[in-house]
Amino acid sequence: MVNIIEGKLDARGVRIGIVVSRFNHFITGKLLDGALDGLHSHGAADDDVTVVHVPGAFEIPLVAERMASSGKYDALVCLGAVIRGDTPHFEYVSDAVTRGVGKVVWKYQMPISFGILTTDNVQQAMDRSGSKDANKGYEAALTAIEMVSVLSQLAQ
Ligand code: INI
């Protein structure tokens, strides 16, 4: 018989930290709404959810690192929107935040979902910050819940 481990989408009792950047807030606010919707609709209690606002996506990894090291969270959800402009700044910010969040995942071996949009234009970002499944924040929240469940089953 094959052993199958699958994550359950049950956020009851799961302590979640959200780091969300303000840059492009008309998008990141919607990602945050989507993430909170995803958590609430899967049983998360308000008291178990902490939201930290940071200026831009570049600042996300440092705060994620602090939250991870605190031991107060079972998973983190990182939300941001890096939208391509006319300068290479986009490449530097998106590269730094991707690598930075990845390092925190490996250092603390904890589920940290990547709800940071890196898009070529505003329209692409809007298309990914709609409701439910069309919202990468919602998706990132569900990923975090699922990964907490997968890792806890692997630890048994
Ligand atoms: N920050 C973003 O979150 N998204 C962007 O699109 C962006 N662009 O394009 O510049 C951006 N820049 C700010 C950056 O994240 C830092 O906050 C800033 O460089 C100060 O450290």
Side-chain angles (χ1 to χ4, degrees):
M1 177 104 145
V2 175
N3 294 305
I4 295 177
I5 292 180
E6 260 184 331
K8 295 179 183 57
L9 288 179
D10 182 358
R12 284 175 301 174
V14 178
R15 301 164 308 162
I16 301 276
I18 298 176
V19 193
V20 56
S21 50
R22 260 194 320 273
F23 204 103
N24 294 321
H25 62 90
F26 61 103
I27 299 290
T28 62
K30 289 183 179 177
L31 296 176
L32 178 60
D33 290 344
L36 293 172
D37 182 20
L39 295 176
H40 287 140
S41 59
H42 290 82
D46 272 344
D47 283 350
D48 287 331
V49 180
T50 301
V51 179
V52 180
H53 294 270
V54 297
F58 187 80
E59 283 71 39
I60 290 174
L62 173 61
V63 170
E65 152 103 29
R66 286 292 164 91
M67 294 176 87
S69 71
S70 75
K72 291 180 181 168
Y73 308 98
D74 300 310
L76 301 178
V77 177
C78 297
L79 304 173
V82 192
I83 301 176
R84 193 182 290 279
D86 295 332
T87 69
H89 200 63
F90 168 91
E91 318 286 350
Y92 296 123
V93 174
S94 46
D95 188 54
V97 66
T98 307
R99 286 172 191 270
V101 171
K103 280 185 185 165
V104 183
V105 172
W106 289 115
K107 182 169 176 187
Y108 294 96
Q109 301 274 308
M110 75 182 290
I112 302 180
S113 55
F114 193 81
I116 298 164
L117 303 179
T118 52
T119 65
D120 283 332
N121 53 53
V122 170
Q123 188 58 52
Q124 288 177 348
M126 287 171 67
D127 292 346
R128 288 158 180 76
S129 54
S131 57
K132 304 275 180 200
D133 290 346
N135 185 305
K136 293 291 176 189
Y138 183 90
E139 202 176 273
L142 267 56
T143 296
I145 300 166
E146 182 175 344
M147 286 300 291
V148 168
S149 171
V150 167
L151 293 180
S152 83
Q153 290 178 64
L154 285 173
Q156 282 163 14

